[in-house]
Amino acid sequence: MSWRPLAEARQRRWPKLDNLRRAARAGLSVPQTFWLPARTAQAGRLDCPASLGAAEVIVRSVSPLEDRAEGSGAGRFESRCVAAGDRDGFSAATLAVSAAQIAAASDDAGALMVQPLLRPERGGVAFFDGFYWERSEAPGGNRELTSGRARGRVERGGLRRGEPWSELLERLAGVFSRELRSAGALDIEYAVEGDRYTLLQVRPVRFAVGRNPLLSLANHREILGELPSPWMLAALERAGSGALRFFSRIDPEIGRWDEAYAQLAAGRAWLNLSVFFRMMDRWGLPRSFVTAGIGSAGGPESAGGFRLGRMLKHAPRLVRLQLENLRTVAAIRRRLSQLDSRVASARGLAELSAATVAGLELALTTNFALNGALTGWIRLRRVLGIQGRAEVVTERMQSRYAALNALPPAARPAALSAWLADYGHRGPLESDLAQPRFAELAGLLAEDLGRRGAQPVRDAGAQAQSGQPLPAAAPASGAPSGAWRWLFWLDRRRESFRDELMRLWASLRARILEEAALAVSRGELARAEDVFLLDPGDLAAPGDWPRRVQQRREERQRWAQLNLPHSATRDAILEVERAGPAGSTLAHPASSGGGDPESLAGIGLGGAAVEGSVVLASELVELLERERQAGRALLDRNTILVAPALEPAWAVVFGRLGGVVTELGGELSHVAILLREAGLPALLDVPGATRRLREGDRVRLDPAAGRLLRLPHRPGQG
């Protein structure tokens, strides 16, 4: 019997050979392959196929015991290499390989296959679960890797669009979708020449692939600050699992991924961008739908536009998703009421911790819905060419606070009390229950107002609703006309939801501190605020709380010194954490400014360019404390505030700024909406801004161009 070409290998009982045939039929590159039943090799001398006669070849086993979904049997049978033209060596190789197969399974000995022995630039072995992959590569072929004599260079990652390696994996996922679903992963052997991958073997395997997702501080850094409390970190990690069920209800496949919304590392909660990229890939949507909203991580990982075929296939799901978004928005008041009842009825710290998880899950799912709907809404406004502002609740908070400056000093205390009655539940980094509300910072705010004297109000669009009248505010510029106000409804609803949730958050914080005060009286805590250094796992052992609190303080001191990137893979982040402050070598991206040391690029908000002097700050309270110590205001209309990130509480100082630059942030972030409402020129998502700029630098901020230019030092400047 003569050797037969790969295309004729249709025996599904021999998966090793059939898998190569399926891959070749799908257009993947595989070596020229010939095969015949193993018993034929025992019947007489075999010569190498004529078309391979001048090549070094490899004789490989094809046993029914190999590459099955029940177990791969990898390495059970040997392969033999034969020098070009060595007829005796070839015959001996076929006899040895076939004899081993017959001895192992006499009822079905399988087949032999022969291929040219490739000598590529490098060879590799990889495991792939449909999105995440692990691979090990070494120069030359992969025999040293598969034999265990070489480890190679090990990498882990996730799919990217437009990358040859990822394109190979995606095509394999399409061909072997059944095996991926039943076994969980594929074992892939391959050879590489330049960007060309040749598939040597593919088999299903039953083990979990090591995941190395792309993570980002974007969004979480904005709302929770540089180092969130352990109480909030643990709650966010738990709430994230429930929040992803929001998407699993639309597409059950997402639930089978067993992904996390957030991952904890280096004392921070990192948004798992990979799970959202995976969703976009599945539904045929651009990955930029994820990064455009939060900013950061806008590199090659977020490349790729619409995939029309997939989008049409999943169109019913995408319609259902938008309907679910609207239903979730409609249920906001009911769900807030349920959370209010849960907080009020909670008894003890454990139940209050569970209420925190429930509140965060409510926040996440509602913001998924609002942002999902708002993405399309913003695109519609762009298509229609409609510019404008939503006049959201936080703008009213900002404008009323700014208007307090115009009051006579004697009238300010009562007016501030009225302002706190309406907005005292808000505060700096207010999403973290460990942070004080404005009502707890009344003294600091009173001093802040006292330092400023009477000042003109920038876009103060509301009167104080108190016994002390505030001056009339300037009319809001850019507000949409009545005919178009409905197009800004979702913007208003998103910010009003946050305001309503923060009222509940203030109540929840007060309840937690009440319980913590009882723990202080029992000697379990030194201070009530120490309760936020605990996580749910600590709460069952009050006797251990002092030790845990001290341990967390020491950990946070160490984590605060790390030079962390804003976005990176989990492995890279853990490498920085292991290295510690002295060994943190993972560089931050300096900027996307095209290499110009005097220019930084980002997402521009607003139209008019402004010039001013840089003031660096990381937190609002820290900035107000700096002003108190200086005994003077540090902010004015010539100030360009540069910060790692901003969150809604910063709105109280927007009225006294010329512009804003942040390292994090995107077009759909809370602060982006507030900056638009304030009419404040801004540049968001500017990596490295706080390191490249110095206090007092003169800069020109041009939002329309998406650029910040450092200006020459002028004579007479300090």
Side-chain angles (χ1 to χ4, degrees):
M1 186 176 181
S2 62
W3 292 97
R4 300 169 65 179
L6 181 61
E8 296 180 11
R10 299 182 180 277
Q11 290 79 2
R12 291 292 181 92
R13 69 182 187 277
W14 301 339
K16 184 174 184 176
L17 188 61
D18 188 56
N19 289 346
L20 273 184
R21 179 191 64 81
R22 291 164 62 192
R25 186 180 63 181
L28 291 161
S29 174
V30 301
Q32 188 179 14
T33 303
F34 296 89
W35 66 277
L36 49 67
R39 289 191 179 278
T40 304
Q42 300 292 314
R45 182 186 182 91
L46 285 174
D47 288 327
C48 185
S51 62
L52 299 180
E56 187 179 10
V57 298
I58 181 168
V59 178
R60 304 178 65 185
S61 62
V62 181
S63 171
L65 303 179
E66 295 178 283
D67 297 1
R68 300 170 300 161
E70 297 82 11
S72 74
R76 182 168 181 177
F77 301 98
E78 68 173 320
S79 300
R80 292 209 176 181
C81 298
V82 182
D86 183 358
R87 295 183 65 193
D88 292 338
F90 184 82
S91 180
T94 57
L95 285 170
V97 175
S98 61
Q101 292 176 221
I102 293 169
S106 58
D107 56 332
D108 183 357
L112 300 182
M113 65 179 174
V114 59
Q115 299 170 319
L117 183 64
L118 303 182
R119 298 292 186 185
E121 291 177 9
R122 61 189 191 275
V125 176
F127 305 115
F128 174 56
D129 68 3
F131 185 84
Y132 295 102
W133 50 264
E134 296 180 86
R135 71 182 178 193
S136 178
E137 290 186 353
N142 67 347
R143 287 181 60 79
E144 296 295 301
L145 293 171
T146 57
S147 67
R149 290 190 292 270
R151 184 169 185 268
R153 184 168 58 92
V154 179
E155 298 176 280
R156 299 191 301 163
L159 291 179
R160 294 185 184 183
R161 297 201 196 174
E163 176 192 62
W165 169 246
S166 293
E167 288 177 352
L168 168 70
L169 295 179
E170 283 202 276
R171 293 177 71 183
L172 285 171
V175 175
F176 298 101
S177 58
R178 183 178 65 251
E179 287 82 357
L180 271 172
R181 180 177 289 272
S182 61
L186 299 177
D187 175 1
I188 304 159
E189 296 178 24
Y190 61 92
V192 194
E193 289 283 356
D195 286 340
R196 180 180 175 83
Y197 288 84
T198 297
L199 184 67
L200 303 178
Q201 187 166 325
V202 57
R203 59 169 71 96
V205 289
R206 291 185 174 276
F207 54 74
V209 172
R211 295 181 174 185
N212 185 25
L214 180 67
L215 307 178
S216 178
L217 287 176
N219 196 43
H220 292 163
R221 173 62 179 84
E222 286 182 275
I223 63 174
L224 293 173
E226 176 62 24
L227 270 178
S229 66
W231 181 285
M232 295 305 298
L233 287 176
L236 182 59
E237 186 178 39
R238 296 186 179 197
S241 300
L244 285 183
R245 287 196 292 269
F246 176 84
F247 296 106
S248 299
R249 291 197 297 269
I250 305 301
D251 190 344
E253 178 66 19
I254 293 171
R256 287 189 279 270
W257 294 345
D258 190 29
E259 288 270 22
Y261 162 80
Q263 296 198 16
L264 306 187
R268 290 136 174 110
W270 301 75
L271 179 66
N272 182 0
L273 290 176
S274 289
V275 66
F276 294 101
F277 287 163
R278 196 172 183 178
M279 282 186 215
M280 298 301 101
D281 291 354
R282 175 169 170 77
W283 295 337
L285 300 175
R287 289 185 171 191
S288 60
F289 276 13
V290 178
T291 55
I294 64 171
S296 208
E301 296 87 356
S302 61
F306 288 97
R307 292 177 166 180
L308 187 59
R310 294 190 187 187
M311 191 174 69
L312 292 175
K313 176 183 176 182
H314 292 284
R317 283 198 173 99
L318 296 176
V319 172
R320 285 179 55 202
L321 178 60
Q322 287 299 336
L323 292 175
E324 184 67 21
N325 287 340
L326 295 175
R327 279 195 291 269
T328 301
V329 173
I332 286 176
R333 294 198 182 282
R334 175 176 57 81
R335 296 184 67 195
L336 283 169
S337 178
Q338 291 171 344
L339 178 62
D340 189 18
S341 298
R342 182 166 186 167
V343 171
S345 62
R347 296 293 178 267
L349 289 174
E351 290 188 14
L352 290 168
S353 175
T356 305
V357 174
L360 282 173
E361 187 172 334
L362 167 62
L364 292 173
T365 55
T366 303
N367 280 314
F368 287 159
L370 286 164
N371 289 343
L374 192 56
T375 299
W377 225 239
I378 288 175
R379 289 176 182 269
L380 175 62
R381 295 198 302 244
R382 286 177 181 167
V383 169
L384 296 175
I386 297 170
Q387 302 293 324
R389 302 160 34 162
E391 299 173 287
V392 298
V393 62
T394 321
E395 182 193 12
R396 295 194 294 275
M397 177 181 77
Q398 175 260 322
S399 59
R400 282 186 55 186
Y401 186 82
L404 295 174
N405 288 311
L407 289 172
R412 287 180 190 164
L416 176 60
S417 295
W419 184 87
L420 290 171
D422 289 336
Y423 302 110
H425 58 285
R426 308 298 297 265
L429 302 173
E430 61 194 3
S431 292
D432 190 341
L433 288 166
Q435 298 294 333
R437 312 292 108 170
F438 280 136
E440 301 170 65
L441 299 171
L444 186 63
L445 295 179
E447 289 187 40
D448 174 55
L449 293 172
R451 280 191 296 273
R452 301 184 184 282
Q455 295 184 2
V457 179
R458 177 193 182 111
D459 287 343
Q463 296 283 345
Q465 298 171 9
S466 69
Q468 296 290 339
L470 295 182
S477 60
S481 66
W484 297 112
R485 279 183 58 84
W486 63 276
L487 282 174
F488 292 81
W489 172 77
L490 275 172
D491 307 64
R492 293 191 295 273
R493 189 64 189 100
R494 191 175 84 152
E495 296 310 309
S496 65
F497 165 68
R498 181 179 182 84
D499 188 69
E500 292 159 5
L501 181 63
M502 287 304 103
R503 287 187 184 277
L504 285 177
W505 233 229
S507 298
L508 179 56
R509 171 177 161 83
R511 289 291 321 282
I512 293 169
L513 288 173
E514 287 174 9
E515 291 292 332
L518 296 176
V520 171
S521 68
R522 295 191 294 266
E524 295 163 348
L525 290 172
R527 300 181 315 131
E529 291 77 8
D530 288 347
V531 71
F532 296 112
L533 293 172
L534 304 175
D535 66 27
D538 301 321
L539 298 181
D544 198 37
W545 288 356
R547 183 188 67 83
R548 294 295 287 161
V549 166
Q550 182 60 31
Q551 180 183 12
R552 293 275 164 68
R553 284 204 178 99
E554 293 170 358
E555 289 173 342
R556 287 163 65 81
Q557 288 176 355
R558 183 173 69 254
W559 288 330
Q561 299 175 58
L562 296 177
N563 182 32
L564 290 163
H566 295 146
S567 297
T569 63
R570 179 173 175 80
D571 284 355
I573 294 164
L574 293 178
E575 180 183 339
V576 174
E577 185 175 7
R578 285 191 296 269
S584 296
T585 58
L586 182 60
H588 293 243
S591 81
S592 52
D596 182 352
E598 302 303 316
S599 175
L600 292 83
I603 300 170
L605 301 178
V610 295
E611 294 185 8
S613 297
V614 167
V615 168
L616 297 171
S618 59
E619 293 183 5
L620 175 62
V621 171
E622 175 261 336
L623 178 60
L624 296 179
E625 289 286 0
R626 276 170 55 193
E627 287 192 318
R628 176 158 65 181
Q629 293 175 12
R632 60 182 178 84
L634 300 178
L635 308 178
D636 58 36
R637 297 292 179 78
N638 294 314
T639 296
I640 305 297
L641 177 68
V642 180
L646 299 181
E647 38 87 31
W650 283 93
V652 300
V653 299
F654 283 172
R656 50 184 102 142
L657 298 174
V660 166
V661 177
T662 68
E663 295 186 326
L664 294 173
E667 291 176 302
L668 296 184
S669 61
H670 287 284
V671 74
I673 289 178
L674 302 180
L675 289 166
R676 287 188 179 100
E677 297 305 314
L680 195 60
L683 200 63
L684 310 182
D685 191 24
V686 187
T690 58
R691 290 182 305 282
R692 294 187 60 187
L693 296 171
R694 300 182 299 273
E695 188 89 5
D697 277 351
R698 289 288 301 173
V699 295
R700 176 180 173 82
L701 171 59
D702 187 349
R707 291 278 172 177
L708 183 83
L709 180 66
R710 182 154 38 197
L711 301 175
H713 186 81
R714 293 193 298 205
Q717 286 183 322

